[in-house]
Amino acid sequence: MNTTTASIPLSQDAPIAAAAPPGGLRGFVADWSSDRQAFQVSWGKAMMWFFLLSDTFIFGSFLTGYMTVRASTTVAWPNPSEVFSLHVGGASVPLLLIAIMTFVLISSSGTMAMAVNCAYRRDRVNAATLMIVTATFGEIFVAMQAFEWSKLILEGVRPWGNPMGAAQFGSAFFMITGFHGLHVTCGVIYLFVIAWRVLRGDYEKSGNYQMVEIAGLYWHFVDLVWVFIFALFYLW
C-alpha cells in the first residue's frame, strides 16, 4: 500500500534561518576573498599608514646606525652646540638656526590640524588656506636647511670627512637631514596639490574630504621624525 506524505506549505511570515558564517581560518579567508571591508578604515588611509610604517623602519635604521657610530668612534665627535651656532651681534649663539627650524616645523603641525578640522566642516576656503600656510612653513624649513648645508660645506664638512672631528659626522649629517629634507619637500608639493583640489571643489562634489586628513597624517609624521632627529643629532 502506497502512502503519500502531505507537503506542509511554509508560511510567508516564517523566518528563514540564515547560514552561520564559517569561523576560524576559513572565516578569515572568506572575509578577505569576498571584497568585504575587513577594517573600518578607508583604503587610502590604510595605505598611508603602511607607507608611514615602512618609513619608520627606514628612519629608525638611520638613527640607530648614527647612535652606534657615535658611541663607538674613537675620534672626538664634533660638539653640535659649536658646529651649529650662529654669530649674532658678535656673539656665538648655539643652535639658534636649529631652534628656529624646529619652531617653524612644529607650528606647521598646528596649521595642518586646523586645516583638517576646517575640511571636515566643509569650509574649503579656510582648509585650503591653512594647507598653503603649512606648505609655506615647510618651504621655509627647507630653505633654512639649505642654508645650514651650505654653511657646513663652506666650513669643509663632507660626507667622507670634516675638519672638526670624527669623519663619520659628515656622512651621518648629510644622510639623515637630507633624507628628512626630501620628505619635507615632497610633503610641500603634496600639500599644494591637495590644497588646489580643495579650492577647485573636487571634494565638495562628493562631500568626502578624507584626502586632507591623509595628507595631514604624512605631514605630522614628518614633524615627529624631526623631533627625534633634533633630540638625537643636535642635542646629544
Side-chain angles (χ1 to χ4, degrees), residues 58 154 182 202:
I58 297 174
L154 290 175
L182 175 63
D202 291 1

Side-chain angles (χ1 to χ4, degrees), residues 96-106 140-141 144-145 148 226 234:
L96 176 60
L97 181 63
I98 309 304
I100 298 174
M101 292 169 61
T102 303
F103 176 78
V104 168
L105 202 59
I106 297 302
I140 294 172
F141 176 88
M144 289 189 291
Q145 192 171 64
E148 179 189 36
W226 177 254
Y234 295 99

Side-chain angles (χ1 to χ4, degrees), residues 78-166:
N79 186 352
S81 297
E82 298 176 358
V83 175
F84 301 106
S85 63
L86 288 180
H87 294 279
V88 179
S92 179
V93 182
L95 300 177
L96 176 60
L97 181 63
I98 309 304
I100 298 174
M101 292 169 61
T102 303
F103 176 78
V104 168
L105 202 59
I106 297 302
S107 298
S108 70
S109 271
T111 56
M112 189 67 234
M114 290 189 288
V116 174
N117 183 39
C118 289
Y120 277 113
R121 289 192 286 109
R122 302 186 71 167
D123 184 0
R124 60 191 181 97
V125 174
N126 284 328
T129 301
L130 287 166
M131 291 185 72
I132 293 172
V133 171
T134 303
T136 303
F137 279 145
E139 287 183 319
I140 294 172
F141 176 88
V142 172
M144 289 189 291
Q145 192 171 64
F147 172 79
E148 179 189 36
W149 273 43
S150 61
K151 176 177 176 293
L152 292 182
I153 291 174
L154 290 175
E155 292 174 354
V157 179
R158 299 291 186 272
W160 52 86
N162 74 93
M164 305 176 187

Side-chain angles (χ1 to χ4, degrees), residues 8-218:
I8 303 175
L10 293 176
S11 171
Q12 293 181 355
D13 298 331
I16 300 176
L25 181 60
R26 294 181 61 186
F28 176 80
V29 174
D31 285 343
W32 278 83
S33 60
S34 59
D35 290 333
R36 294 185 183 180
Q37 186 172 343
F39 303 103
Q40 297 301 318
V41 62
S42 68
W43 282 111
K45 191 183 294 185
M47 292 302 102
M48 177 57 75
W49 277 114
F50 281 128
F51 170 75
L52 297 182
L53 180 62
S54 64
D55 236 17
T56 300
F57 292 143
I58 297 174
F59 276 109
S61 300
F62 282 171
L63 292 175
T64 301
Y66 162 74
M67 290 187 290
T68 303
V69 170
R70 172 78 182 269
S72 61
T73 182
T74 57
V75 182
W77 196 265
N79 186 352
S81 297
E82 298 176 358
V83 175
F84 301 106
S85 63
L86 288 180
H87 294 279
V88 179
S92 179
V93 182
L95 300 177
L96 176 60
L97 181 63
I98 309 304
I100 298 174
M101 292 169 61
T102 303
F103 176 78
V104 168
L105 202 59
I106 297 302
S107 298
S108 70
S109 271
T111 56
M112 189 67 234
M114 290 189 288
V116 174
N117 183 39
C118 289
Y120 277 113
R121 289 192 286 109
R122 302 186 71 167
D123 184 0
R124 60 191 181 97
V125 174
N126 284 328
T129 301
L130 287 166
M131 291 185 72
I132 293 172
V133 171
T134 303
T136 303
F137 279 145
E139 287 183 319
I140 294 172
F141 176 88
V142 172
M144 289 189 291
Q145 192 171 64
F147 172 79
E148 179 189 36
W149 273 43
S150 61
K151 176 177 176 293
L152 292 182
I153 291 174
L154 290 175
E155 292 174 354
V157 179
R158 299 291 186 272
W160 52 86
N162 74 93
M164 305 176 187
Q168 298 92 331
F169 173 82
S171 59
F173 170 77
F174 289 118
M175 178 183 67
I176 294 175
T177 61
F179 193 60
H180 180 264
L182 175 63
H183 278 70
V184 176
T185 303
C186 293
V188 167
I189 299 172
Y190 185 26
L191 290 179
F192 275 129
V193 171
I194 299 299
W196 168 246
R197 298 188 67 181
V198 169
L199 276 178
R200 198 170 58 181
D202 291 1
Y203 308 120
E204 185 69 22
K205 300 173 185 176
S206 62
N208 185 2
Y209 281 87
Q210 195 174 73
M211 283 301 299
V212 179
E213 183 183 1
I214 293 173
L217 289 175
Y218 176 86

